[in-house]
Amino acid sequence: MLEPTKKPPAEAVSEARFAGPADKIRELARVAHTLGLTEVSGTVPWRELFPEFQGKENWAVALRGARGKEGLTQKALAALTGIPQSHISSMENGRMPIGRQRAMRLAEVLKIDYRILL
């Protein structure tokens, strides 16, 4: 029998947010601290949440995300932009720079600002 390829995390970690009067929030923070809980900042770098994008260019990740948001395959995007599907694949994988003219064609179809892709 095959084993699962991903192992579950050793310990599950959860976060919670609360809204209410400032004095009650301070009281809640004191109680949470006595329970051994720690306070975290409100933001986390996106690359920490998506380690599969480590080492990828920002524009490559943006292109793949925008294409996914529009529900397009690489083949469909190629048909709409006139850019070969193999080039779109290379751009999404960070192997080929997009360039200004291609960025403008892609951005028009993907309904985003072309500068995100540069």
Side-chain angles (χ1 to χ4, degrees):
M1 182 170 218
L2 296 175
E3 289 185 40
T5 56
K6 290 187 179 181
K7 295 182 179 179
E11 182 179 317
V13 176
S14 297
E15 292 184 27
R17 286 182 59 170
F18 297 92
D23 60 327
K24 296 292 184 184
I25 298 295
R26 284 191 294 275
E27 183 181 345
L28 180 62
R30 281 192 297 276
V31 171
H33 183 71
T34 63
L35 295 172
L37 302 176
T38 58
E39 194 170 331
V40 295
S41 71
T43 61
V44 177
W46 69 270
R47 289 198 183 265
E48 280 184 29
L49 297 175
F50 301 100
E52 64 269 24
F53 295 121
Q54 291 295 335
K56 301 267 188 195
E57 298 288 348
N58 287 347
W59 46 264
V61 175
L63 175 57
R64 180 174 292 181
R67 181 177 59 78
K69 176 186 70 97
E70 290 299 316
L72 296 171
T73 63
Q74 289 180 353
K75 190 174 181 179
L77 183 58
L80 292 170
T81 60
I83 299 169
Q85 180 272 325
S86 61
H87 290 193
I88 292 173
S89 176
S90 293
M91 289 183 278
E92 286 186 1
N93 287 298
R95 293 188 305 264
M96 176 187 285
I98 295 175
R100 187 170 187 259
Q101 292 303 315
R102 283 187 179 152
M104 292 174 84
R105 282 194 290 178
L106 290 163
E108 185 177 337
V109 171
L110 298 172
K111 301 175 186 131
I112 58 173
D113 186 328
Y114 78 95
R115 293 172 289 189
I116 293 170
L117 301 174
L118 298 177

